[in-house]
Amino acid sequence: MTGSALIQGASRGIGLGLVQALLARDTDSQVIATCRNPERADRLSELERDHPGRLQIFRLDVQEEGSIAEAARRLIEEGVELDLLVNVAGLLHDGAMQPEKKLADLDPDHFRRAFEVNATGPLLVAKHFHPLLRHERRAVFASLSARVGSIADNRRGGWYAYRASKAAQNMGTKTLALELQRIAPRVLCVGLHPGTVETDLSLPFRRHVPDSGLFTVERAAQQLLSVIAGLTPDQTGSVLAWDGTVVPC
Ligand SMILES: NC(=O)c1ccc[n+]([C@@H]2O[C@H](COP(=O)([O-])OP(=O)(O)OC[C@H]3O[C@@H](n4cnc5c(N)ncnc54)[C@H](OP(=O)(O)O)[C@@H]3O)[C@@H](O)[C@H]2O)c1
């Protein structure tokens, strides 16, 4: 992959893995990593030192539209063109916020936070960053989704806020893909399910996941980049899993 790639939500987990994989892949390409606290993103700072001139780090919090607009403005000013933008930031649990086991666990504040990060965030990023993807080459705008956001595939219930926010994210992806087909037909827009990956997000919930179904961050990043590389125009608007199969919405 040539040109610049931007990974939104790159401080740890799959986002950091994608930055590492992109830097290892191609010695010419530029990588832009965004995160909400660059001063605390030690691994990203190390990568910036290890790959001089190839990695830029920007502050971006998807719950603060001003920070999204400011990062986009600075990159537009620099004349950056993106071949790939991946929204990785996601929220399942955080302290007292835990996925609901039953209706009685519902908390409107947790619902709001899940929607802001998982559903509204990628669309606000699209709102401010789409000019950077509009050039003469093919470009990909991807958002990490989750199979549990599939309404058709929901067999176990629970996890109301995460499921609903990821389902809303998938609707946002489809709606955005339709708009981009009209205004920027070279930009493909997809959701991606990474599988179950060894990160902080999955840590409390993977007791019953067999080893064969659990991916390292490195493997997950390679798998996602392979799916992205193989995308065809007819797949825009869909959600694809780590193995390239379609996740029903
Ligand atoms: N891991 C899995 O098994 C799995 C399975 C299915 C789908 N996914 C999806 O894959 C994506 C990445 O998951 P992960 O496992 O890598 O999660 P993770 O290890 O928990 O990392 C979450 C990332 O999101 C960032 N983030 C959270 N709130 C943010 C905000 N308001 N603005 C900007 N960044 C924010 C975090 O930044 P800080 O460091 O600042 O907190 C962190 O970089 C998520 O969208 C998740 O839903 C993961």
Side-chain angles (χ1 to χ4, degrees):
M1 192 171 297
T2 56
S4 299
L6 184 147
I7 306 300
Q8 183 278 107
S11 55
R12 55 194 168 94
I14 300 171
L16 182 63
L18 283 168
V19 171
Q20 284 173 310
L22 286 163
L23 287 170
R25 197 168 246 214
D26 179 345
T27 49
D28 293 331
S29 64
Q30 297 292 308
V31 182
I32 296 151
T34 74
C35 60
R36 26 181 199 178
N37 287 305
E39 60 289 349
R40 279 195 259 145
D42 296 341
R43 282 294 296 127
L44 280 180
S45 303
E46 273 171 38
L47 287 171
E48 194 181 22
R49 279 195 296 277
D50 293 347
H51 299 271
R54 288 194 58 212
L55 177 64
Q56 274 184 290
I57 304 169
F58 283 82
R59 177 175 182 274
L60 189 158
D61 183 332
V62 290
Q63 290 175 282
E64 258 181 58
E65 186 176 4
S67 72
I68 304 173
E70 174 60 12
R73 189 194 61 74
R74 285 175 58 194
L75 288 168
I76 289 168
E77 222 169 71
E78 282 182 25
V80 168
E81 291 183 351
L82 295 176
D83 290 346
L84 172 65
L85 188 159
V86 188
N87 289 294
V88 183
L91 179 61
L92 170 61
H93 60 90
D94 181 23
M97 177 181 175
Q98 293 296 323
E100 308 87 350
K101 292 193 173 126
K102 53 188 185 310
L103 203 49
D105 299 334
L106 275 195
D107 180 321
D109 186 49
H110 297 166
F111 236 79
R112 179 188 54 74
R113 286 181 63 195
F115 267 74
E116 281 179 9
V117 177
N118 299 335
T120 318
L123 287 180
L124 287 177
V125 171
K127 175 179 167 185
H128 293 282
F129 277 80
H130 76 86
L132 292 138
L133 294 154
R134 297 174 68 174
H135 43 67
E136 293 307 307
R137 302 178 304 283
R138 166 195 192 267
V140 173
F141 182 90
S143 302
L144 291 202
S145 185
R147 192 179 291 280
V148 296
S150 163
I151 294 171
D153 196 61
N154 186 356
R155 292 165 222 284
R156 300 180 57 180
W159 293 29
Y160 284 91
Y162 189 67
R163 283 187 191 278
S165 61
K166 288 292 184 181
Q169 184 202 87
N170 295 343
M171 178 57 88
T173 294
K174 173 74 185 185
T175 307
L176 174 63
L178 291 168
E179 180 166 348
L180 289 173
Q181 272 179 332
R182 288 194 296 274
I183 63 169
R186 288 193 191 85
V187 184
L188 307 183
C189 175
V190 292
L192 296 173
H193 166 58
T196 306
V197 185
E198 290 171 344
T199 66
D200 296 339
L201 183 140
S202 69
L203 187 60
F205 309 104
R206 47 188 201 228
R207 237 186 352 266
H208 303 299
V209 180
D211 283 352
S212 57
L214 187 61
F215 301 133
T216 61
V217 165
E218 293 74 18
R219 179 166 171 193
Q222 293 299 347
Q223 289 173 161
L224 291 168
L225 291 175
S226 297
V227 174
I228 289 166
L231 284 176
T232 52
D234 58 305
Q235 290 174 312
T236 196
S238 57
V239 179
L240 300 168
W242 56 273
D243 58 357
T245 56
V246 173
V247 177
C249 284

